[in-house]
Amino acid sequence: MTNERPSADHVLTEVADAVRLQEGPPGVRSVLRALRRLAPASTKDLSRATGLPVPIVAALGNELRRRGLVTKERPSRLTEAGLDVVAQLGMDLSLDATCGTCEGRELVIPDVLDEAVRRLRALMESGPAADMSIDQSHCTAETKVRRVLALLAAGALPGGSLLLIGDDDLVSLAVAVVGDVLGGPIVERVTVVDISDEILAYVQKVAGGLGTRVETVRHDLRQPLPAHLHGTHDVAMTDPPYTAEGARLFLSRAVEGLRTGPAHSVFFSFGGKSPDEMLEVQREIMALGLVTNGYVRNFNEYEGSGILGGVGFFQHLLTTTSTASAQGDYSGPLYTGDKRTRQREYTCVACEAKLRVGPGARWPSVAALRTDGCPHCGKGPFRPGRLVAAEDQPTHQQNHPVVTGQTPPAQATEPAAAPTSAAAPPATPSAPLTPRAVGWHAPAPEERAALEQRARPYLTRQADERDLPAIGAFEAEIARVSFGEDAIDDPARWAARLGKAMEKSKEGMIVAHGPGEDPVGWCWVSINQNAMTGDRYANFRSLAVAPLDNRGDVAELLLTAGLEFCLANGITEVVGRVHVGNVPMRTVYRKFGFDPTSLSMKLFLPESGGTR
C-alpha cells in the first residue's frame, strides 16, 4: 500500500469544503496565489489581495496550516509542501504587475494636495462619528481626495453640479477643501442629501468658509427625492449600505437627480461580496439602465471596517438612453442589520444537516436550535450559512424593517466568550457560598513557563488602540453565538464601543498575539463594586480565541493572565456567566475552579394583540 500525496486540485476542494467557502476551490487558489506573491503576508494583506473577508481568509489559513501548506509562524509563508502545491497548479510565477506607485488604485495624490489630506484628517476628527447601525464606516482622508481626483480625471469636474446621495464620508467637504487648496472652487454647486441632521449641520458649518456652494437637503432616501432635485445635476456619487437593496435604492435616487440623457456619471462605492451577492448588485445596476465605465478594486480605504480588510471598490457608471428609476417609496430591508429579518441556513457540524432558522422557521433563533439540538443526530454545534432568499420563505412571514436611523434590538455590550463560542452577558454576582472555597491559585513559575511553552508562539500583553479591529471581530463573533439572529455583529461597531471603553481604562484588557501579527485572542476583565454591599469583584466580560492548533492553550494563557490581573488588584471574587449550551466555556470555567451559583430562566409571552 502506498501513501500517495493528494493532488493539488483535491487539496483545493478539500479546503474549500472544510470552510464552506462560497467561492469554492477558486477562492482557495486565490489565497495561495496571493501568499506566493506577497509572502510574508498578514491575514489583512491576503484579504485585500483576494477580496475575501478577513474571517474567511483566517479560516482558510488555518485549514492550510493543518495540512502543512502554510507556516505556523506569522506573517504567513508557504511551506515547501505549499510551494509544491502552487507549482502543481501552475502558479509558481511570482511576477507582480501591479503599479508600485498607485498600488493598483489608478490614481496618485499629487504633492500639491498633501495639505488637503491633512486638513480633511482634522475635519474628520472633529466631525460626526460613524453610525454603525446604518452601515456607516468613514473612508480615510486619502480616499476622500482620491474620489475628488476621480471626478476630475473623468471630466465630471471642474464645473457642473454634483449630487451626493448620503455623505457621511464628507465628500462635499473634500471637494470644497481641494478647491480651496487649488485656489478656487472646482464645482458650481454641490447638493448633499442625507437624513442625519448632525452630518448636514457639520457640512454647512465647515463649507461656509471654503468658498464652494454647498446645499444640504434633509431627506429619508426610502422616499423619492424632492421634486425640485429631479433631473437637475450633472454627476452623482454614493456609498450606500452594503446590501443589494441598499445599492438599488441609493443608485435609484442618484438617477432621479441626474439630468436626462446618456453619458452622465454616477460614482458608486461598495464593499466586496461573494460572487452570488455581487451578481445581485450588478443586476440592480443593469435594471436601472446604467453601464460600467470603470472599476477599481481596493480604491476605498475605511477606518474600522476590519471584516472587509478595510477596503472597498469604486465603480464609475454611465447613464444610457434606457436609464430610468421606477423606485417609489421603500419599506423593506436596507441595512445589513435589516437582513437578519430573513431566515438563515445553518449546518450541523456533526451530521451536515442543513436547517433554517429565523422568522417562520421551526426555530426562531439559533439559540432555540442549540437548545433542541439537531433533529437528525441530536448534536451540534451549528455553522451559519447563507441567508434564505425572500421568495423561498413562507408567505405568512412578516418582515419588520428597521426604519432609517433606528438601531437593531438592544443587546448587552459586555458578552463573555469561550475559545469556541460565546456566553451570555455577565450580571451582578450573587452572595458567595459559605464557607467560601478558594478555587484557583496562581501557577508556580515552572507551571507558568510550561503554559507559555504550550501556547507558543503566542504571548499576552495589554490591549491598545491598534488591536481594535481584531477585538471588534472577536466581539462580533461573541454576539453572533450569544444572540443568534438578533446579534449586533458589525465588527466596526464593536471596535468603536471598545475604543471608547479603552479611552477610560485599558486595565484588564488583554490580547494574545504572535510576532508582528494581529491578535489571535482577547480577554477583558473589569473590576466592579456591588452597589448593595460595597464589595469589589471582577467580571469576566469577554474571552475569545481564533481557531488555532493550540487554541485551548492560548485560551488558558489568557484566562490565567486575567486572573493574575484580579489578584494584583486585591480581588477575591470573580464572576463569569455562560450560556447553558456553551459547553466549551463551561468546561474552561470548571477547569479553573469556577462553581455554578445561579441559573437564568427565560420565558417568551405573546406580543400585544397576537401570538409570538
Side-chain angles (χ1 to χ4, degrees):
M1 182 177 180
T2 60
N3 293 323
E4 294 184 2
R5 179 180 294 178
S7 69
D9 287 333
H10 178 76
V11 170
L12 295 182
T13 301
E14 191 177 65
V15 172
D17 289 346
V19 180
R20 302 293 188 273
L21 186 64
Q22 290 186 26
E23 289 79 2
V28 185
R29 179 189 288 266
S30 70
V31 171
L32 289 171
R33 183 188 298 112
L35 262 173
R36 177 70 177 86
R37 179 169 61 88
L38 300 174
S42 68
T43 301
K44 186 174 181 179
D45 292 335
L46 296 174
S47 173
R48 291 188 172 201
T50 61
L52 295 171
V54 168
I56 296 297
V57 174
L60 287 170
N62 289 325
E63 290 297 329
L64 293 169
R65 284 187 186 86
R66 290 190 184 97
R67 291 161 177 79
L69 304 179
V70 174
T71 59
K72 293 185 178 180
E73 295 76 24
R74 300 163 189 263
S76 302
R77 296 176 182 271
L78 292 169
T79 62
E80 289 298 322
L83 290 170
D84 182 54
V85 168
V86 167
Q88 290 183 51
L89 293 168
M91 300 189 302
D92 197 28
L93 182 65
S94 58
L95 179 66
D96 183 6
T98 303
C99 174
T101 302
C102 72
E103 298 180 342
R105 297 190 185 100
E106 299 185 7
L107 292 171
V108 177
I109 299 175
D111 294 344
V112 69
L113 292 182
D114 286 346
E115 179 187 344
V117 173
R118 289 192 296 270
R119 288 170 61 177
L120 285 167
R121 283 201 193 108
L123 290 175
M124 290 175 66
E125 290 177 4
S126 58
D131 185 347
M132 306 303 175
S133 70
I134 54 175
D135 291 0
Q136 290 181 358
S137 183
H138 293 163
C139 69
T140 64
E142 290 83 357
T143 296
K144 298 182 201 308
V145 174
R146 279 198 297 269
R147 288 183 183 178
V148 177
L149 290 172
L151 290 166
L152 291 166
L157 299 180
S161 53
L162 170 64
L163 174 64
L164 296 171
I165 301 298
D167 194 27
D168 63 286
D169 282 324
L170 304 180
V171 173
S172 56
L173 296 185
V175 172
V177 168
V178 168
D180 193 52
V181 169
L182 296 178
I186 57 174
V187 63
E188 291 180 6
R189 69 182 173 110
V190 178
T191 302
V192 177
V193 181
D194 204 293
I195 196 172
S196 169
D197 289 321
E198 187 179 11
I199 289 173
L200 297 177
Y202 189 70
V203 167
Q204 282 286 8
K205 173 185 173 183
V206 176
L210 293 174
T212 294
R213 177 186 168 195
V214 178
E215 174 192 9
T216 56
V217 179
R218 187 186 186 283
H219 183 70
D220 187 340
L221 292 168
R222 292 178 184 271
Q223 302 165 1
L225 290 184
H228 75 276
L229 294 180
H230 281 223
T232 57
H233 290 75
D234 301 301
V235 59
M237 182 178 287
T238 189
D239 189 343
Y242 291 168
T243 62
E245 293 87 350
R248 178 182 67 241
L249 185 64
F250 280 52
L251 286 171
S252 295
R253 303 312 181 210
V255 167
E256 289 172 11
L258 287 176
R259 303 187 194 282
T260 57
H264 292 293
S265 294
V266 179
F267 292 89
F268 170 54
S269 296
F270 208 72
K273 298 285 185 180
S274 70
D276 285 347
E277 290 172 310
M278 284 310 302
L279 178 60
E280 287 187 62
V281 174
Q282 294 303 315
R283 281 173 173 160
E284 300 295 355
I285 290 172
M286 293 186 66
L288 286 165
L290 297 169
V291 63
T292 298
N293 188 57
Y295 181 99
V296 183
R297 283 190 62 236
N298 299 345
F299 182 94
N300 297 306
E301 290 188 282
Y302 296 92
E303 297 183 341
S305 186
I307 197 167
L308 297 176
V311 293
F313 68 75
F314 188 72
Q315 193 167 1
H316 180 193
L317 306 171
L318 292 177
T319 59
T320 66
T321 54
S322 301
T323 298
S325 171
Q327 180 68 60
D329 290 350
Y330 181 76
S331 60
L334 180 58
Y335 301 105
T336 305
D338 298 358
K339 304 282 280 189
R340 299 187 189 100
T341 59
R342 286 161 53 180
Q343 293 177 4
R344 184 179 291 277
E345 188 176 80
Y346 281 79
T347 301
C348 174
V349 173
C351 71
E352 301 296 318
K354 296 188 182 300
L355 311 164
R356 291 187 180 184
V357 172
R362 175 177 173 182
W363 299 276
S365 68
V366 71
L369 174 59
R370 289 196 197 100
T371 300
D372 289 354
C374 175
H376 300 281
C377 68
K379 300 178 182 178
F382 305 94
R383 182 184 299 111
R386 67 180 181 90
L387 283 167
V388 177
E391 57 269 22
D392 292 337
Q393 297 193 167
T395 56
H396 67 272
Q397 174 188 329
Q398 296 295 316
N399 286 329
H400 302 282
V402 180
V403 299
T404 305
Q406 180 179 329
T407 58
Q411 293 178 27
T413 60
E414 305 168 0
T420 55
S421 58
T428 303
S430 57
L433 299 177
T434 305
R436 176 179 294 172
V438 176
W440 183 82
H441 293 274
E446 59 272 16
E447 294 173 330
R448 189 68 159 79
L451 174 59
E452 291 176 352
Q453 181 66 28
R454 295 197 306 274
R456 289 185 63 187
Y458 306 108
L459 305 170
T460 60
R461 59 169 170 79
Q462 185 179 78
D464 56 37
E465 289 76 9
R466 62 183 155 163
D467 304 315
L468 286 172
I471 291 172
F474 283 128
E475 291 291 343
E477 179 60 25
I478 290 170
R480 279 190 287 270
V481 176
S482 298
F483 301 102
E485 293 298 309
D486 294 328
I488 297 175
D489 59 356
D490 184 339
R493 185 171 187 179
W494 284 110
R497 289 187 180 185
L498 270 296
K500 293 179 180 178
M502 199 174 280
E503 289 175 2
K504 298 176 181 178
S505 176
K506 298 177 184 176
E507 289 193 347
M509 294 184 171
I510 306 166
V511 293
H513 68 101
E517 183 65 17
D518 292 336
V520 297
W522 152 248
C523 175
W524 185 16
V525 188
S526 67
I527 296 176
N528 301 332
Q529 187 171 33
N530 189 305
M532 297 293 292
T533 67
D535 293 335
R536 297 167 73 237
Y537 67 95
N539 232 341
F540 257 92
R541 293 185 164 192
S542 298
L543 177 64
V545 180
L548 305 168
D549 290 337
N550 57 344
R551 190 182 201 183
D553 295 320
V554 175
E556 188 174 337
L557 182 64
L558 276 168
L559 189 53
T560 298
L563 292 174
E564 289 171 340
F565 166 76
C566 295
L567 285 180
N569 284 273
I571 298 299
T572 60
E573 184 176 351
V574 184
V575 175
R577 293 195 60 195
V578 58
H579 190 277
V580 66
N582 193 344
V583 176
M585 189 65 211
R586 288 162 56 189
T587 303
V588 171
Y589 274 143
R590 274 293 190 187
K591 182 176 181 179
F592 274 75
F594 283 76
D595 286 320
T597 59
S598 64
L599 178 65
S600 296
M601 309 291 286
K602 183 180 288 187
L603 172 68
F604 290 106
L605 297 176
E607 294 179 352
S608 177
T611 59
R612 191 180 183 89

mmCIF file of all heavy atoms in Angstrom, residues 469-496:
data_model
loop_
_atom_site.group_PDB
_atom_site.id
_atom_site.type_symbol
_atom_site.label_atom_id
_atom_site.label_comp_id
_atom_site.label_asym_id
_atom_site.label_seq_id
_atom_site.Cartn_x
_atom_site.Cartn_y
_atom_site.Cartn_z
ATOM 1 N N PRO A 469 -9.492 46.704 15.596
ATOM 2 C CA PRO A 469 -10.166 45.955 14.528
ATOM 3 C C PRO A 469 -10.313 44.469 14.846
ATOM 4 O O PRO A 469 -11.370 43.878 14.632
ATOM 5 C CB PRO A 469 -9.260 46.198 13.310
ATOM 6 C CG PRO A 469 -8.600 47.511 13.595
ATOM 7 C CD PRO A 469 -8.367 47.523 15.076
ATOM 8 N N ALA A 470 -9.236 43.858 15.376
ATOM 9 C CA ALA A 470 -9.297 42.433 15.715
ATOM 10 C C ALA A 470 -10.251 42.191 16.882
ATOM 11 O O ALA A 470 -11.028 41.228 16.879
ATOM 12 C CB ALA A 470 -7.896 41.914 16.057
ATOM 13 N N ILE A 471 -10.206 43.076 17.880
ATOM 14 C CA ILE A 471 -11.101 42.934 19.036
ATOM 15 C C ILE A 471 -12.556 43.055 18.583
ATOM 16 O O ILE A 471 -13.433 42.318 19.046
ATOM 17 C CB ILE A 471 -10.767 43.991 20.106
ATOM 18 C CG1 ILE A 471 -9.408 43.685 20.749
ATOM 19 C CG2 ILE A 471 -11.848 44.038 21.179
ATOM 20 C CD1 ILE A 471 -8.917 44.772 21.681
ATOM 21 N N GLY A 472 -12.815 44.003 17.682
ATOM 22 C CA GLY A 472 -14.171 44.160 17.158
ATOM 23 C C GLY A 472 -14.667 42.894 16.483
ATOM 24 O O GLY A 472 -15.840 42.514 16.622
ATOM 25 N N ALA A 473 -13.770 42.210 15.740
ATOM 26 C CA ALA A 473 -14.157 40.958 15.077
ATOM 27 C C ALA A 473 -14.483 39.874 16.107
ATOM 28 O O ALA A 473 -15.430 39.101 15.943
ATOM 29 C CB ALA A 473 -13.038 40.488 14.148
ATOM 30 N N PHE A 474 -13.687 39.808 17.194
ATOM 31 C CA PHE A 474 -13.969 38.837 18.254
ATOM 32 C C PHE A 474 -15.336 39.110 18.893
ATOM 33 O O PHE A 474 -16.132 38.201 19.114
ATOM 34 C CB PHE A 474 -12.889 38.892 19.333
ATOM 35 C CG PHE A 474 -11.595 38.214 18.954
ATOM 36 C CD1 PHE A 474 -10.385 38.873 19.077
ATOM 37 C CD2 PHE A 474 -11.596 36.907 18.481
ATOM 38 C CE1 PHE A 474 -9.202 38.257 18.729
ATOM 39 C CE2 PHE A 474 -10.402 36.279 18.130
ATOM 40 C CZ PHE A 474 -9.199 36.954 18.250
ATOM 41 N N GLU A 475 -15.604 40.395 19.209
ATOM 42 C CA GLU A 475 -16.865 40.730 19.863
ATOM 43 C C GLU A 475 -18.063 40.459 18.944
ATOM 44 O O GLU A 475 -19.134 40.071 19.402
ATOM 45 C CB GLU A 475 -16.859 42.203 20.295
ATOM 46 C CG GLU A 475 -15.882 42.509 21.425
ATOM 47 C CD GLU A 475 -16.302 41.892 22.750
ATOM 48 O OE1 GLU A 475 -17.481 41.509 22.905
ATOM 49 O OE2 GLU A 475 -15.453 41.786 23.642
ATOM 50 N N ALA A 476 -17.868 40.656 17.640
ATOM 51 C CA ALA A 476 -18.950 40.365 16.688
ATOM 52 C C ALA A 476 -19.278 38.877 16.696
ATOM 53 O O ALA A 476 -20.446 38.478 16.657
ATOM 54 C CB ALA A 476 -18.553 40.818 15.287
ATOM 55 N N GLU A 477 -18.243 38.038 16.750
ATOM 56 C CA GLU A 477 -18.467 36.592 16.795
ATOM 57 C C GLU A 477 -19.125 36.194 18.110
ATOM 58 O O GLU A 477 -20.026 35.345 18.142
ATOM 59 C CB GLU A 477 -17.138 35.852 16.615
ATOM 60 C CG GLU A 477 -17.255 34.337 16.678
ATOM 61 C CD GLU A 477 -18.172 33.775 15.600
ATOM 62 O OE1 GLU A 477 -18.345 34.424 14.553
ATOM 63 O OE2 GLU A 477 -18.722 32.677 15.812
ATOM 64 N N ILE A 478 -18.702 36.824 19.212
ATOM 65 C CA ILE A 478 -19.326 36.575 20.508
ATOM 66 C C ILE A 478 -20.817 36.896 20.431
ATOM 67 O O ILE A 478 -21.666 36.142 20.905
ATOM 68 C CB ILE A 478 -18.650 37.428 21.606
ATOM 69 C CG1 ILE A 478 -17.239 36.912 21.887
ATOM 70 C CG2 ILE A 478 -19.474 37.418 22.895
ATOM 71 C CD1 ILE A 478 -16.425 37.820 22.775
ATOM 72 N N ALA A 479 -21.137 38.029 19.818
ATOM 73 C CA ALA A 479 -22.540 38.440 19.700
ATOM 74 C C ALA A 479 -23.341 37.451 18.869
ATOM 75 O O ALA A 479 -24.475 37.113 19.194
ATOM 76 C CB ALA A 479 -22.625 39.835 19.090
ATOM 77 N N ARG A 480 -22.744 36.956 17.787
ATOM 78 C CA ARG A 480 -23.456 36.001 16.925
ATOM 79 C C ARG A 480 -23.794 34.725 17.689
ATOM 80 O O ARG A 480 -24.895 34.197 17.573
ATOM 81 C CB ARG A 480 -22.611 35.671 15.683
ATOM 82 C CG ARG A 480 -22.702 36.702 14.574
ATOM 83 C CD ARG A 480 -22.054 36.200 13.307
ATOM 84 N NE ARG A 480 -20.609 36.183 13.404
ATOM 85 C CZ ARG A 480 -19.831 37.205 13.064
ATOM 86 N NH1 ARG A 480 -20.369 38.316 12.608
ATOM 87 N NH2 ARG A 480 -18.523 37.128 13.172
ATOM 88 N N VAL A 481 -22.829 34.236 18.464
ATOM 89 C CA VAL A 481 -23.056 32.998 19.201
ATOM 90 C C VAL A 481 -24.040 33.221 20.342
ATOM 91 O O VAL A 481 -24.892 32.383 20.631
ATOM 92 C CB VAL A 481 -21.726 32.442 19.735
ATOM 93 C CG1 VAL A 481 -21.963 31.203 20.586
ATOM 94 C CG2 VAL A 481 -20.806 32.092 18.577
ATOM 95 N N SER A 482 -23.954 34.377 21.007
ATOM 96 C CA SER A 482 -24.795 34.651 22.166
ATOM 97 C C SER A 482 -26.222 35.010 21.792
ATOM 98 O O SER A 482 -27.169 34.611 22.470
ATOM 99 C CB SER A 482 -24.199 35.801 22.985
ATOM 100 O OG SER A 482 -22.933 35.477 23.479
ATOM 101 N N PHE A 483 -26.407 35.788 20.701
ATOM 102 C CA PHE A 483 -27.714 36.356 20.404
ATOM 103 C C PHE A 483 -28.312 35.870 19.097
ATOM 104 O O PHE A 483 -29.421 36.261 18.735
ATOM 105 C CB PHE A 483 -27.627 37.888 20.389
ATOM 106 C CG PHE A 483 -27.150 38.463 21.686
ATOM 107 C CD1 PHE A 483 -25.843 38.888 21.838
ATOM 108 C CD2 PHE A 483 -28.002 38.562 22.777
ATOM 109 C CE1 PHE A 483 -25.396 39.418 23.038
ATOM 110 C CE2 PHE A 483 -27.561 39.088 23.979
ATOM 111 C CZ PHE A 483 -26.256 39.519 24.113
ATOM 112 N N GLY A 484 -27.577 35.039 18.344
ATOM 113 C CA GLY A 484 -28.124 34.479 17.114
ATOM 114 C C GLY A 484 -28.521 35.543 16.112
ATOM 115 O O GLY A 484 -27.774 36.481 15.833
ATOM 116 N N GLU A 485 -29.734 35.429 15.577
ATOM 117 C CA GLU A 485 -30.199 36.328 14.526
ATOM 118 C C GLU A 485 -30.369 37.768 15.015
ATOM 119 O O GLU A 485 -30.431 38.694 14.211
ATOM 120 C CB GLU A 485 -31.535 35.822 13.970
ATOM 121 C CG GLU A 485 -31.447 34.499 13.225
ATOM 122 C CD GLU A 485 -30.545 34.598 12.008
ATOM 123 O OE1 GLU A 485 -30.740 35.509 11.200
ATOM 124 O OE2 GLU A 485 -29.642 33.766 11.879
ATOM 125 N N ASP A 486 -30.466 37.952 16.332
ATOM 126 C CA ASP A 486 -30.650 39.290 16.868
ATOM 127 C C ASP A 486 -29.328 39.982 17.165
ATOM 128 O O ASP A 486 -29.302 41.075 17.721
ATOM 129 C CB ASP A 486 -31.481 39.226 18.164
ATOM 130 C CG ASP A 486 -32.903 38.756 17.909
ATOM 131 O OD1 ASP A 486 -33.417 39.057 16.821
ATOM 132 O OD2 ASP A 486 -33.478 38.095 18.786
ATOM 133 N N ALA A 487 -28.234 39.359 16.811
ATOM 134 C CA ALA A 487 -26.926 39.892 17.177
ATOM 135 C C ALA A 487 -26.603 41.182 16.440
ATOM 136 O O ALA A 487 -26.926 41.351 15.271
ATOM 137 C CB ALA A 487 -25.845 38.861 16.876
ATOM 138 N N ILE A 488 -25.975 42.093 17.146
ATOM 139 C CA ILE A 488 -25.304 43.224 16.514
ATOM 140 C C ILE A 488 -23.892 42.736 16.224
ATOM 141 O O ILE A 488 -23.044 42.672 17.120
ATOM 142 C CB ILE A 488 -25.279 44.456 17.431
ATOM 143 C CG1 ILE A 488 -26.706 44.941 17.718
ATOM 144 C CG2 ILE A 488 -24.459 45.579 16.805
ATOM 145 C CD1 ILE A 488 -26.789 46.074 18.714
ATOM 146 N N ASP A 489 -23.636 42.324 14.987
ATOM 147 C CA ASP A 489 -22.374 41.648 14.693
ATOM 148 C C ASP A 489 -21.516 42.412 13.685
ATOM 149 O O ASP A 489 -20.791 41.816 12.891
ATOM 150 C CB ASP A 489 -22.636 40.223 14.197
ATOM 151 C CG ASP A 489 -23.495 40.176 12.944
ATOM 152 O OD1 ASP A 489 -23.943 41.247 12.506
ATOM 153 O OD2 ASP A 489 -23.704 39.081 12.399
ATOM 154 N N ASP A 490 -21.577 43.723 13.751
ATOM 155 C CA ASP A 490 -20.709 44.559 12.923
ATOM 156 C C ASP A 490 -19.410 44.790 13.694
ATOM 157 O O ASP A 490 -19.411 45.474 14.728
ATOM 158 C CB ASP A 490 -21.395 45.899 12.637
ATOM 159 C CG ASP A 490 -20.567 46.772 11.695
ATOM 160 O OD1 ASP A 490 -19.354 46.542 11.593
ATOM 161 O OD2 ASP A 490 -21.148 47.686 11.079
ATOM 162 N N PRO A 491 -18.273 44.238 13.239
ATOM 163 C CA PRO A 491 -17.018 44.395 13.971
ATOM 164 C C PRO A 491 -16.641 45.861 14.186
ATOM 165 O O PRO A 491 -16.076 46.207 15.235
ATOM 166 C CB PRO A 491 -16.002 43.691 13.064
ATOM 167 C CG PRO A 491 -16.799 42.706 12.299
ATOM 168 C CD PRO A 491 -18.124 43.378 12.046
ATOM 169 N N ALA A 492 -16.942 46.716 13.201
ATOM 170 C CA ALA A 492 -16.577 48.130 13.343
ATOM 171 C C ALA A 492 -17.334 48.775 14.500
ATOM 172 O O ALA A 492 -16.792 49.620 15.225
ATOM 173 C CB ALA A 492 -16.864 48.876 12.042
ATOM 174 N N ARG A 493 -18.580 48.389 14.651
ATOM 175 C CA ARG A 493 -19.371 48.966 15.738
ATOM 176 C C ARG A 493 -18.822 48.537 17.094
ATOM 177 O O ARG A 493 -18.701 49.337 18.017
ATOM 178 C CB ARG A 493 -20.831 48.525 15.603
ATOM 179 C CG ARG A 493 -21.745 49.187 16.622
ATOM 180 C CD ARG A 493 -23.198 48.895 16.319
ATOM 181 N NE ARG A 493 -24.078 49.643 17.190
ATOM 182 C CZ ARG A 493 -25.399 49.599 17.150
ATOM 183 N NH1 ARG A 493 -25.977 48.850 16.234
ATOM 184 N NH2 ARG A 493 -26.124 50.295 17.983
ATOM 185 N N TRP A 494 -18.463 47.255 17.205
ATOM 186 C CA TRP A 494 -17.874 46.785 18.461
ATOM 187 C C TRP A 494 -16.527 47.454 18.709
ATOM 188 O O TRP A 494 -16.189 47.801 19.848
ATOM 189 C CB TRP A 494 -17.728 45.264 18.433
ATOM 190 C CG TRP A 494 -19.021 44.542 18.634
ATOM 191 C CD1 TRP A 494 -19.730 43.825 17.712
ATOM 192 C CD2 TRP A 494 -19.787 44.488 19.838
ATOM 193 N NE1 TRP A 494 -20.882 43.323 18.267
ATOM 194 C CE2 TRP A 494 -20.951 43.712 19.579
ATOM 195 C CE3 TRP A 494 -19.612 45.014 21.121
ATOM 196 C CZ2 TRP A 494 -21.905 43.449 20.534
ATOM 197 C CZ3 TRP A 494 -20.578 44.749 22.079
ATOM 198 C CH2 TRP A 494 -21.710 43.973 21.795
ATOM 199 N N ALA A 495 -15.737 47.618 17.661
ATOM 200 C CA ALA A 495 -14.433 48.277 17.825
ATOM 201 C C ALA A 495 -14.611 49.697 18.336
ATOM 202 O O ALA A 495 -13.845 50.168 19.188
ATOM 203 C CB ALA A 495 -13.675 48.263 16.497
ATOM 204 N N ALA A 496 -15.628 50.395 17.826
ATOM 205 C CA ALA A 496 -15.882 51.767 18.284
ATOM 206 C C ALA A 496 -16.273 51.786 19.760
ATOM 207 O O ALA A 496 -15.807 52.633 20.532
ATOM 208 C CB ALA A 496 -16.981 52.395 17.428
#
